[in-house]
Amino acid sequence: MKYEEVQEILDRYWEGETTLEEERRIKAYFNGGQIDARLSHIGPMFQAIREEQSLQLVTKAKAARIRPRRYLWAIAASLALLLTAGWWMFRAADTTIQTAANTIDESSQSIKIQKVVEKPPSSLAIEAQPAQNTLSIKRKASRKRVKTTPFIDSETAMAMAEIKAALALVSSKLYAGRNEAIKGATYLERMEKIPKRKTG
Amino acid sequence: MTWDLFHQQVFPIRHKLYRFALRITGSVHEAEDVVQEVMEKVWKTAPAQTENVQNWEAWCMTLTRNRSLDKTRSQTLRRTSPLEVEVDRKSDTVTPAQATEGNDLIAHVKLMMQQLPEKQKLVMHLRDIEELSYDEIAAALQISLDQVKVNLHRARKAIRKKMIND
């Protein structure tokens, strides 16, 4: 664009009589780089307009929305990890209890059997004296006892085992606690003795 | 408001609305809020109400202007506004010190445009920065065509006068 042409449009621009097309042309001219020296003082005006035109809304909402999701994934992953770890530990503990319960179950069963096996002869000996006909009935009863008692269902056995384990734990703790208490008591006794010695 | 209509007519002009809100409020944060609120309002408007809308851009611009003016008014009325907000508001627009510093003439022009009387400032913004037609400006600002021309003429004359004097 020639200087005269630009100047002509500019004159009308200041008066507010230019079309949008003419305004776009002079904007392009002033932002094109080759500005006539006589018009250089107008340059900043159109450069300012161009800068203002390039202003854009920066959507922060998107960035803000992504972050919590990332955290959520991390939380979900760590929770899953914790849950699986917990499950493994629980399972391991469960199996040990079960094996313990099984051994106890077996041993208790054998004890019960032994006891029951032992009993019949003595009862027989007692019963044998009063009458012979009652013997058969008692025998049947004892037989029944032999058959029924050893079969403790696994649930009760497990419960028993658990109670035993719990009691053992409590007793061991009690023992440790008692030891600590004794230690503390002796320590206090000693502490009491020291000033007595000094004063005495 | 349907999804298609929103995406074709309203969403693409969000930057325009933002610049307009920024021109009025002078605060980046408030301008962002204004655009958000305008978008929400447009989206929630019942279809019966939008039937008469001929020019979506002008309609959104009007909403943006009203919301921005409400914000600036409530800001000036609120005497107990926190200090940070005031500092923030100043930092977003060009300060006189920044403008006169060295030969930053562009910043100086920006400041001059920001300091124009309300109507002149908005008319000039919609014409020179958003390149709207006189009719669109009249619709957006709800003023007559003559008012648009008079205010644009005064605004440009004021800028020219200042540029020659400086």
Side-chain angles (χ1 to χ4, degrees):
Chain A
M1 264 172 106
K2 283 178 184 172
Y3 164 75
E4 287 78 18
E5 197 184 348
V6 179
Q7 188 60 60
E8 191 270 320
I9 296 170
L10 257 182
D11 287 340
R12 283 190 290 115
Y13 173 81
W14 297 122
E15 295 300 317
E17 288 166 1
T18 38
T19 63
L20 275 173
E21 187 47 48
E22 286 169 333
E23 284 165 25
R24 284 192 194 115
R25 280 184 73 196
I26 51 167
K27 276 176 195 167
Y29 171 81
F30 280 105
N31 287 306
Q34 288 205 321
I35 307 163
D36 194 290
R38 288 165 285 185
L39 295 166
S40 60
H41 66 288
I42 307 294
M45 158 105 190
F46 292 98
Q47 279 148 21
I49 285 169
R50 194 181 59 169
E51 275 184 22
E52 297 268 324
Q53 280 177 324
S54 63
L55 267 176
Q56 288 208 329
L57 174 67
V58 186
T59 41
K60 282 176 187 167
K62 271 188 183 175
R65 250 180 239 153
I66 290 159
R67 274 197 176 173
R69 268 189 200 161
R70 268 189 207 154
Y71 282 120
L72 271 179
W73 276 115
I75 290 161
S78 51
L79 259 176
L81 204 74
L82 271 169
L83 277 170
T84 40
W87 180 72
W88 269 105
M89 281 174 76
F90 182 76
R91 218 180 71 134
D94 203 36
T95 44
T96 49
I97 286 165
Q98 242 174 357
T99 45
N102 285 343
T103 49
I104 288 158
D105 199 28
E106 278 164 24
S107 59
S108 64
Q109 270 186 19
S110 61
I111 289 159
K112 284 273 161 68
I113 291 158
Q114 273 181 350
K115 277 181 183 171
V116 174
V117 166
E118 272 170 7
K119 270 190 177 177
S122 59
S123 62
L124 274 173
I126 301 154
E127 299 294 324
Q129 281 169 346
Q132 279 282 317
N133 52 354
T134 51
L135 185 73
S136 58
I137 303 155
K138 290 282 170 185
R139 261 188 185 170
K140 275 176 187 171
S142 65
R143 255 183 223 154
K144 267 182 189 170
R145 268 171 72 193
V146 171
K147 274 177 186 173
T148 50
T149 42
F151 296 107
I152 304 163
D153 58 309
S154 60
E155 260 186 307
T156 29
M158 259 184 76
M160 267 175 72
E162 272 176 290
I163 290 160
K164 271 182 189 174
L167 282 172
L169 185 79
V170 169
S171 70
S172 71
K173 293 284 169 193
L174 274 173
Y175 190 67
R178 200 185 65 118
N179 279 353
E180 281 300 304
I182 290 162
K183 266 188 204 171
T186 46
Y187 179 72
L188 278 171
E189 271 178 304
R190 271 187 217 158
M191 290 300 282
E192 273 174 19
K193 276 174 193 170
I194 293 162
K196 273 179 192 168
R197 265 185 222 157
K198 275 184 181 174
T199 48
Chain B
M1 171 62 63
T2 63
W3 178 254
D4 285 342
L5 203 61
F6 188 80
H7 262 259
Q8 282 162 18
Q9 302 287 345
V10 185
F11 197 65
I13 59 164
R14 65 192 186 282
H15 299 304
K16 277 190 184 184
L17 301 180
Y18 169 69
R19 287 189 290 264
F20 194 43
L22 185 61
R23 173 71 61 200
I24 301 166
T25 62
S27 158
V28 170
H29 301 297
E30 277 183 26
E32 281 170 2
D33 286 351
V34 167
V35 176
Q36 182 79 36
E37 285 162 23
V38 167
M39 291 271 178
E40 208 180 316
K41 194 177 179 180
V42 172
W43 177 247
K44 284 179 180 171
T45 308
Q49 274 180 285
T50 56
E51 260 176 24
N52 299 325
V53 177
Q54 297 289 319
N55 191 330
W56 287 94
E57 199 174 312
W59 187 56
C60 290
M61 282 287 188
T62 309
L63 289 176
T64 305
R65 185 201 62 168
N66 294 345
R67 194 75 206 95
S68 302
L69 287 174
D70 283 349
K71 284 235 165 189
T72 46
R73 272 173 205 147
S74 68
Q75 269 293 321
T76 46
L77 282 172
R78 223 185 297 149
R79 296 253 179 261
T80 55
S81 62
L83 192 69
E84 296 97 294
V85 173
E86 290 301 313
V87 173
D88 206 29
R89 176 187 285 273
K90 277 172 193 163
S91 69
D92 292 339
T93 47
V94 192
T95 63
Q98 260 180 292
T100 48
E101 210 171 67
N103 52 2
D104 201 352
L105 293 163
I106 297 166
H108 190 56
V109 173
K110 282 184 190 174
L111 181 69
M112 287 194 299
M113 281 161 72
Q114 188 64 33
Q115 284 174 339
L116 287 169
E118 191 76 18
K119 228 174 233 176
Q120 292 179 29
K121 180 169 77 178
L122 298 187
V123 171
M124 192 174 175
H125 176 89
L126 292 181
R127 180 67 177 189
D128 283 333
I129 287 148
E130 304 309 345
E131 302 184 347
L132 263 60
S133 71
Y134 291 154
D135 290 323
E136 284 171 326
I137 296 166
L141 298 178
Q142 293 172 318
I143 54 173
S144 70
L145 212 62
D146 283 335
Q147 283 269 296
V148 174
K149 286 175 185 170
V150 165
N151 278 291
L152 184 66
H153 173 64
R154 282 183 189 159
R156 282 177 179 169
K157 236 181 183 169
I159 298 283
R160 189 195 184 189
K161 200 178 170 187
K162 279 187 179 174
M163 285 191 84
I164 290 163
N165 288 348
D166 289 337

